Amino acid sequence: MNIPYKIEEIQTLQFAMFPKVYNSDIKTDVQTEFKFFVHKDMLELICISDIYYYQSDKMVLYAQVQCGFSIDGEAAQKLKADNRIPSDFLRYIATITIGAARGIISAKTENTVLHAVVLPPINLVEMPIEDIVLNKQ
């Protein structure tokens, strides 16, 4: 199903970096989490991404980024009739959100040692994102 949408907002909800903890000789591990929220009329969908950078169990950077999307009215009605939002579409908007986060992290770490640690590509196909069931019976 093709779901027409528009990006309405991109917000940095939280951001913290700890450049004094960063060591360029130690591998940096990245963890991501995603949350989705749907407005009851199905015309608005929000994806929140939490991104954690760790080195030796010490947090080096944390970013929480939110993207808000509006869904076309006819598509929203179809989603309501189907009683679900497909996981493929959720992965797609998560990909947009992670791309926005990559840019935010790059901009906020500019002129710091953390600028060298670019958020790597994240394969969301392997991420366990399930359909959102709208009206659980």
Side-chain angles (χ1 to χ4, degrees), residues 15 51 53 61 63 100-110 117 119:
F15 189 88
I51 299 140
Y53 286 37
L61 184 143
R102 184 175 290 109
I104 290 166
I105 291 168
S106 179
K108 288 188 174 281
T109 60
E110 201 165 10
V117 187
L119 182 60

Side-chain angles (χ1 to χ4, degrees), residues 34 36 47 89-99 124 129:
F34 297 93
F36 300 95
C47 178
F89 183 67
L90 297 173
R91 279 190 189 88
Y92 180 70
I93 66 167
T95 301
I96 293 168
T97 304
I98 207 72
L124 294 177
I129 297 174

Side-chain angles (χ1 to χ4, degrees), residues 38-40 42 45 76-85 131-137:
V38 183
H39 192 273
K40 66 181 177 182
M42 282 300 306
L45 181 61
Q77 292 306 315
K78 174 80 168 104
L79 293 171
K80 283 173 96 171
D82 291 347
N83 202 36
R84 68 182 186 88
I85 301 173
D131 291 357
I132 293 177
V133 177
L134 301 174
N135 293 318
K136 296 182 181 178
Q137 301 295 329

